[in-house]
Amino acid sequence: MCIFQGMVFSPIPFQPDDFLAKHEAPAPDEAELAESVPMTSLVSTIAESFKQMLFPSCNPKLLEEFDTQKVSWNPHKHCLAFVSGKDQVTVHDFEDSDGKESCILTSEHQKEVKAIEWRPNSGKMIAVGCKGGICLWSASYPGNVASVKSGVTSSSFGAFPRGSSGHWILVDVLRGSSPELVSALCWKPDGRYLASASCNGQSFTIWDVSQGLGTPIRRGLSSISLVRWSPSGDYFLTAKFDGTFHLWETNTWTSEPWSSSNGYVTGANWDPEGRVALLSFSNSTTLGSVHFSSKPPSLGI
């Protein structure tokens, strides 16, 4: 049970996907344990997810400590989306007075899920970063049917709980030029553009979601761990596992590089006006801050 701002949120029971059980024979003692373990709670699964984050070209120790985006709150209601298995996402609506079951999103296109984020301007679309690209899921209701892009198979869907008249549809799959594992996502606050990055990639990509087109930015960047738009959309932050980070102005996409002696950036957030960026670091208990002294698009600090 979780209490936040006076509201009580009950635990969410769910059944993790059984991908490993179908493809790997467990040891005898592990098989007995698997039979006796009940449905897993959200808290224990989030903790376990950090142990399962495996990127081939990255340091596994860093990834055990780093918080990828495995949980995302809907910006408009008390609805939670979280990674509930290697290849699946669960959506739970706390405002559902009937206490219906959670929705499960799975697809043949959605493998090795590493990041999820709700689209900010609608609250009805979820971006899922996974192996090979980004799956875009949209809620669909009678009279308000989601539009599916050509090439997306109709077998890709997520079921609403029993008694509901709607369902989730995989409306598009955004794929780059290489089959990278997308491990970081961030929507521009107006919801038009989506930024993505991979720990194994050489750039980050800005997607025009309505067109399904992606523009790679600055090839040569590698091991990007985090991306963040400012609230106004004028600035953009990227961080890497080597301890460096870049602050970008989004008018011409020029940047200023920064480095830290306190380890890599583990978290970043902007003030409501988008003029101050706060950063936390792996080897320090003190927050760092970057203040912009000039109006955008200036990078004057």
Side-chain angles (χ1 to χ4, degrees):
M1 180 178 296
C2 175
I3 301 177
F4 178 72
Q5 293 184 347
M7 295 193 65
V8 178
F9 298 97
S10 301
I12 307 172
F14 67 93
Q15 184 64 50
D17 58 17
D18 56 352
F19 179 87
L20 292 178
K22 292 180 179 179
H23 292 77
E24 296 181 6
D29 56 335
E30 293 176 342
E32 294 179 4
L33 178 62
E35 293 177 359
S36 62
V37 175
M39 296 182 73
T40 312
S41 69
L42 172 60
V43 175
S44 63
T45 297
I46 293 175
E48 182 64 21
S49 68
F50 298 127
K51 300 178 183 179
Q52 298 175 353
M53 291 185 289
L54 302 176
F55 299 137
S57 64
C58 299
N59 186 335
K61 184 177 179 180
L62 293 179
L63 293 167
E64 289 177 0
E65 301 171 357
F66 192 77
D67 180 11
T68 60
Q69 299 163 263
K70 299 227 171 180
V71 179
S72 181
W73 278 101
N74 187 301
H76 302 290
K77 60 186 301 187
H78 295 119
C79 186
L80 186 70
F82 61 94
V83 179
S84 54
K86 185 172 181 287
D87 304 325
Q88 76 179 30
V89 172
T90 294
V91 181
H92 185 81
D93 187 353
F94 287 100
E95 298 180 4
D96 181 6
S97 59
D98 295 331
K100 296 186 178 71
E101 297 176 359
S102 303
C103 310
I104 307 298
L105 311 184
T106 61
S107 169
E108 60 186 11
H109 301 287
Q110 185 173 283
K111 303 297 181 183
E112 299 183 37
V113 177
K114 288 295 183 288
I116 54 176
E117 185 161 307
W118 291 92
R119 192 174 189 174
N121 63 340
S122 69
K124 296 180 181 179
M125 177 175 284
I126 304 173
V128 180
C130 52
K131 185 176 182 179
I134 305 165
C135 291
L136 297 178
W137 293 87
S138 181
S140 182
Y141 303 90
N144 187 15
V145 179
S147 176
V148 180
K149 293 291 182 68
S150 61
V152 178
T153 59
S154 58
S155 61
S156 302
F157 69 94
F160 272 18
R162 291 186 298 271
S164 174
S165 60
H167 60 284
W168 287 91
I169 296 178
L170 182 64
V171 295
D172 202 0
V173 180
L174 306 177
R175 300 188 186 278
S177 57
S178 58
E180 299 171 346
L181 182 63
V182 176
S183 53
L185 293 172
C186 188
W187 288 94
K188 189 177 180 182
D190 63 8
R192 179 178 178 183
Y193 296 112
L194 175 65
S196 69
S198 170
C199 179
N200 301 324
Q202 301 299 313
S203 64
F204 63 92
T205 301
I206 304 299
W207 296 91
D208 185 334
V209 175
S210 63
Q211 301 295 323
L213 300 176
T215 303
I217 306 293
R218 186 65 68 84
R219 291 194 175 276
L221 290 175
S222 60
S223 299
I224 296 177
S225 59
L226 179 148
V227 291
R228 291 286 188 275
W229 288 93
S230 70
S232 64
D234 295 312
Y235 295 112
F236 188 77
L237 184 147
T238 59
K240 299 168 57 180
F241 277 113
D242 64 4
T244 61
F245 60 96
H246 285 71
L247 290 168
W248 304 75
E249 58 86 8
T250 59
N251 186 29
T252 61
W253 287 102
T254 57
S255 69
E256 290 288 341
W258 291 70
S259 61
S260 168
S261 59
N262 295 320
Y264 61 91
V265 175
T266 57
N269 214 336
W270 295 87
D271 77 310
E273 296 180 355
R275 301 295 295 276
V276 179
L278 289 178
L279 303 98
S280 59
F281 300 93
S282 59
N283 298 332
S284 175
T285 57
T286 302
L287 293 176
S289 63
V290 178
H291 298 251
F292 290 92
S293 59
S294 304
K295 293 182 179 181
S298 172
L299 287 169
I301 305 298

